[in-house]
Amino acid sequence: MYIGFDYGTANCSVAKIENGQPTLLRLEGDSTFIPSSLAAPTRESVSEYLFRHRGIKPLDTIGEQMLRRAIHVNREESIELEAEDMAFGQAALDRYLDDPRDMYYVKSPKSFLGASGLRDAQLRFFEDLVCAMMDNIKTQAEHQTQQSIHDAVIGRPINFQGRGGETANRQAEGILLNAAKRAGFKQIEFQFEPVAAGLDYEATLSEDKIVLVVDIGGGTTDCSLIEMGPSWRGSSDRSASLLAHKGQRIGGNDLDIALAFKQMMFPFGMGSKMESGIEMPITQFSNPITINNVQAQNDFYAFENLAVLKGLHKQAQEPHKLARLLEVYHESLGYNIVRRAEEAKIALSDQATYRAGIQLFSERVDVDVSRDNMIDAIEAPKRKMIALVHDVVAQAGVKPDVIFMTGGSARSPFLREAVQAELPNIPVVSGDYFGSVTAGLARWAEVCFK
């Protein structure tokens, strides 16, 4: 059996073809989407879980050394790892929020796969993370279909997050490929996510059109200008139909981070001053919430930074605010703050104001955010997204007949209005914001494997 597999930054989903149409499969309870997150007792538990409870071995000696070290560390900590100690999706987030102090939690590992400067051990660790998530998804899909799944078309952005260009893209795709093989997939193909979304839209066309696909995902925004319609449908070679495409390593997560930074870090001391009159260093407020940047997270949560934070607390004119930042450090609450920003962003699409409640262990911090605040906060990442639309049309030298917007953040009326302003008088349409890519990947899998 074959599937389309959208290993997304925010959510994952898979689909099969049933009676000629894509059908998304349930992955967590009744939901066909599972958040891209994982929780475990320790960082080392991921490697041990794969080997001990899933029978998945490392691919090379570096992975084997990591596994031996992981087992040793867990034994030193008196951790006897059980299969149920690993949680995925919403269950992982719930477990983390219940006990962030004693839980290893990771969200959106796809954001890190193209990062520069990763050592071999770090690459193998990300491979383990992705493999554990893919294995869980494959298991859930096989349970629903009562069939073994051997083949998959996996979606990928035009450019992964990372500054290494094609080197970063090859690194990220290599991690996905190795993880999928270890999870049990035999034949694996990749397809660009905006092209996949376009393939699903193409199934609705009764005449050929030039379609601009704008896919605003959690970690990336991709634009593809594609010739689509009955003349192309079912073709195994679509290279001639792809007129232009371009991707930017910026997505819905960046909107959430921008809103968190511009509106939610003031109660934690951002903009406040030390007794000397010098303003607090800005990186101490950006690093904890830049959850898609490995180095920023490492810098903030490093043991050495604790002494720096304590020093800032001691010198602060408003020490109670820095005490909250220390709590963010001790309880690893950066993800929590960004999650509250995401909720505010969604709510402000329909209402003028929103009160975000950030729950600390010691207190609840309420932050009032207006729609105007939100629009101002996301202006910089929004401009980068719209620049992609401009660039891909200029690259092709032809305007689209229709704009197809997909991806979770494409629901934002502010982003849709911005795209419409860039290309006025061209109709903007959408399908399943979250499922179009997955459905298109399943359609491409039918072309590849049937």
Side-chain angles (χ1 to χ4, degrees):
M1 180 180 168
Y2 55 82
I3 59 170
F5 195 145
D6 182 11
Y7 182 78
T9 303
N11 295 286
C12 298
S13 55
V14 299
K16 67 173 183 174
I17 296 295
E18 189 172 54
N19 299 322
Q21 296 298 318
T23 299
L24 271 66
L25 304 176
R26 295 188 301 274
L27 299 178
E28 189 172 31
D30 291 330
S31 177
T32 54
F33 299 95
I34 182 169
S36 303
S37 55
L38 174 153
T42 63
R43 185 180 186 274
E44 291 75 18
S45 297
V46 181
S47 301
E48 183 176 355
Y49 164 81
L50 286 173
F51 177 74
R52 188 175 302 281
H53 296 292
R54 301 301 302 163
I56 298 175
K57 299 178 181 180
L59 290 177
D60 57 21
T61 54
I62 296 174
E64 291 169 357
Q65 292 168 0
M66 280 183 52
L67 174 60
R68 287 194 293 270
R69 180 185 178 279
I71 293 173
H72 174 74
V73 169
N74 282 338
R75 294 302 165 272
E76 288 288 306
E77 297 291 327
S78 299
I79 294 173
E80 294 294 333
L81 188 69
E82 302 294 339
E84 57 270 20
D85 291 336
M86 190 73 62
F88 302 92
Q90 185 61 44
L93 177 59
D94 293 342
R95 193 173 293 184
Y96 163 72
L97 293 176
D98 283 343
D99 191 10
R101 181 179 302 178
D102 296 319
M103 184 63 56
Y104 174 75
Y105 175 77
V106 62
K107 180 180 184 293
S108 307
K110 185 179 178 182
S111 298
F112 307 133
L113 303 187
S116 301
L118 296 180
R119 301 185 301 275
D120 286 342
Q122 291 174 303
L123 293 173
R124 301 308 185 280
F125 177 66
F126 282 126
E127 184 184 299
D128 281 349
L129 280 177
V130 176
C131 179
M133 296 168 70
M134 284 186 167
D135 171 70
N136 173 66
I137 289 167
K138 183 173 181 286
T139 300
Q140 300 304 319
E142 289 178 335
H143 178 73
Q144 182 184 340
T145 61
Q146 294 296 296
Q147 290 181 273
S148 296
I149 300 172
H150 299 293
D151 308 323
V153 171
I154 299 173
R156 56 151 289 182
I158 294 169
N159 290 305
F160 287 87
Q161 285 187 314
R163 297 179 179 177
E166 276 308 305
T167 299
N169 288 336
R170 286 193 297 271
Q171 172 182 290
E173 189 172 294
I175 293 172
L176 290 175
L177 179 62
N178 287 339
K181 288 179 177 177
R182 293 175 65 199
F185 292 104
K186 305 301 182 187
Q187 295 189 84
I188 302 158
E189 300 286 343
F190 289 93
Q191 179 58 275
F192 291 121
E193 289 159 358
V195 174
L199 292 173
D200 193 49
Y201 175 63
E202 182 180 59
T204 69
L205 295 178
S206 58
E207 59 181 354
D208 290 352
K209 290 181 181 293
I210 297 175
V211 181
L212 174 64
V213 181
V214 181
D215 178 14
I216 308 176
T220 58
T221 296
D222 292 324
C223 295
S224 294
L225 198 66
I226 317 172
E227 291 183 348
M228 310 202 104
S231 298
W232 294 97
R233 196 174 297 142
S235 172
S236 60
D237 183 2
R238 296 299 299 256
S239 55
S241 69
L242 185 57
L243 304 178
H245 67 176
K246 194 169 184 180
Q248 175 74 269
R249 302 168 190 94
I250 191 163
N253 284 352
D254 297 276
L255 302 177
D256 303 335
I257 291 167
L259 181 56
F261 179 67
K262 289 289 187 70
Q263 291 296 316
M264 298 189 176
M265 296 308 293
F266 295 106
F268 299 90
M270 190 172 80
S272 65
K273 295 181 179 180
M274 292 182 271
E275 291 177 344
S276 63
I278 298 174
E279 194 167 295
M280 290 289 170
I282 201 73
T283 55
Q284 293 291 359
F285 306 97
S286 62
N287 282 350
I289 58 171
T290 309
I291 58 173
N292 55 5
N293 185 309
V294 176
Q295 192 58 53
Q297 292 284 283
N298 289 343
D299 288 348
F300 182 77
Y301 290 109
F303 178 74
E304 297 78 13
N305 196 41
L306 178 57
V308 176
L309 292 173
K310 286 181 176 179
L312 294 176
H313 176 245
K314 188 175 182 179
Q315 301 171 56
Q317 291 183 10
E318 300 175 275
H320 67 286
K321 292 184 177 180
L322 272 296
R324 292 173 182 150
L325 188 64
L326 276 165
E327 194 164 339
V328 171
Y329 174 93
H330 286 300
E331 310 301 340
S332 302
L333 295 177
Y335 281 109
N336 196 342
I337 296 171
V338 176
R339 174 64 175 161
R340 303 290 83 78
E342 180 187 18
E343 292 171 351
K345 178 191 70 176
I346 294 170
L348 290 168
S349 294
D350 301 316
Q351 58 195 66
T353 60
Y354 180 79
R355 172 164 289 183
I358 304 170
Q359 187 62 55
L360 308 180
F361 274 87
S362 58
E363 61 177 319
R364 173 187 163 107
V365 178
D366 288 326
V367 181
D368 291 321
V369 186
S370 72
R371 183 177 295 168
D372 288 342
N373 293 151
M374 190 267 289
I375 292 172
D376 177 68
I378 68 170
E379 179 61 27
K382 184 191 78 174
R383 281 201 306 268
K384 293 180 180 179
M385 293 174 178
I386 301 307
L388 282 176
V389 173
H390 172 85
D391 290 348
V392 81
V393 172
Q395 184 185 116
V398 60
K399 287 190 175 181
D401 299 312
V402 62
I403 302 166
F404 179 71
M405 293 189 66
T406 190
S409 292
R411 296 175 301 165
S412 166
F414 314 110
L415 296 181
R416 292 175 71 87
E417 288 166 7
V419 171
Q420 188 74 80
E422 177 65 29
L423 293 171
N425 304 317
I426 297 175
V428 177
V429 300
S430 57
D432 183 341
Y433 289 111
F434 293 100
S436 290
V437 169
T438 316
L441 291 171
R443 292 184 186 278
W444 192 245
E446 184 176 41
V447 173
C448 293
F449 302 128
K450 188 172 181 180

